[in-house]
Amino acid sequence: MPDTQAIRIDFISDVVCPWCIIGYKQLERAVALTGSKADIHVDLHWHPFELNPTMAPEGENLREHLAAKYGTTPAGSKKARERLTRLGAQLGFTFDYADDMRMVNTFRAHQLIHWAGTEGRAHDMKMALFAAFFTHRQDLNDPKVLADCAAQIRLDRREASDVLKDGRFAQSVRGAETMWLRQGIQGVPAIVFEQRYLLTGAQGVETYSAALERIIEQRAA
């Protein structure tokens, strides 16, 4: 009989990181492909990481932010955005970049995801926030936008607002971020398979499929 025990996957990411949603979509496709060959399913856990933990509340123009942080030129930024847009389309995700997009702090967004997790909806919340930022260019530091995202996935909008207002999960999020930093995670996406194998960056469908197949083979040995 095939082993149907779930494969645990810990996915450390930020919702304003384009390579995080690309990496997830690649992983999603790898799971589907691998699942067509073996009877498997995965146990996915989302974890917080802030790309810009000290960013001011008003955020920064995305292009200017990338230029200051990474030395990205306007031409390089345009080329990178075009590449991401193509990759996203191939994987079923829509990037809709614009020159006036703003990079923002995501601590509130991570608190909302944590709360959604207590309702069994962390994944849905994560996907809604990725779309809100990259597809609809919304401000993920705005409590109203975040509450709207919660309502979009049929969570209680008023409770979402209360969660953000009172910060009841702020300490939990900070603790999780600190834990992963102490584990050596300095950039995202970072994906841990079975709490043993770490892959960093969006490495592609083939790489993730190979990791899953390796786990299946080890279990069968």
Side-chain angles (χ1 to χ4, degrees), residues 2-195:
D3 186 353
T4 58
Q5 180 182 351
I7 295 173
R8 181 183 174 105
I9 299 177
D10 292 283
F11 202 121
I12 304 96
S13 67
D14 198 352
V15 288
V16 294
C17 165
W19 292 106
C20 290
I21 183 59
I22 291 290
Y24 169 71
K25 287 295 186 177
Q26 291 172 341
L27 175 64
E28 182 181 52
R29 188 160 294 184
V31 169
L33 289 172
T34 307
S36 68
K37 306 172 188 176
D39 186 10
I40 68 160
H41 61 285
V42 301
D43 180 23
L44 179 66
H45 297 259
W46 290 102
H47 301 281
F49 186 96
E50 287 180 69
L51 288 176
N52 305 289
T54 61
M55 182 165 281
E58 67 273 14
E60 299 175 5
N61 175 273
L62 178 59
R63 189 171 63 180
E64 294 173 358
H65 168 77
L66 294 175
K69 189 172 183 178
Y70 303 111
T72 308
T73 65
S77 180
K78 182 175 184 293
K79 185 177 180 180
R81 286 183 289 177
E82 289 173 349
R83 182 188 177 203
L84 285 164
T85 300
R86 288 194 302 271
L87 282 172
Q90 292 167 6
L91 294 163
F93 183 82
T94 301
F95 287 97
D96 188 14
Y97 281 107
D99 287 342
D100 62 351
M101 278 185 69
R102 299 188 71 77
M103 178 63 76
V104 297
N105 176 270
T106 53
F107 186 50
R108 284 176 175 157
H110 287 300
Q111 292 176 65
L112 193 71
I113 295 164
H114 186 97
W115 165 66
T118 67
E119 303 288 328
R121 305 294 300 281
H123 179 75
D124 294 335
M125 192 75 259
K126 192 84 174 186
M127 293 300 105
L129 292 173
F130 275 129
F133 185 71
F134 288 112
T135 307
H136 306 297
R137 302 186 217 139
Q138 294 179 308
D139 179 358
L140 297 191
N141 192 42
D142 183 336
K144 181 181 183 301
V145 168
L146 294 173
D148 287 344
C149 287
Q152 177 186 328
I153 64 166
R154 298 184 180 179
L155 289 176
D156 187 87
R157 193 184 191 287
R158 180 175 295 180
E159 186 174 358
S161 295
D162 289 345
V163 163
L164 297 170
K165 186 175 181 179
D166 64 33
R168 69 189 72 168
F169 296 115
Q171 186 174 355
S172 297
V173 170
R174 286 289 186 226
E177 291 175 337
T178 299
M179 186 275 288
W180 287 109
L181 289 171
R182 288 175 177 169
Q183 292 291 320
I185 302 300
Q186 298 296 321
V188 288
I191 306 172
V192 183
F193 294 80
E194 294 283 85
Q195 300 180 298

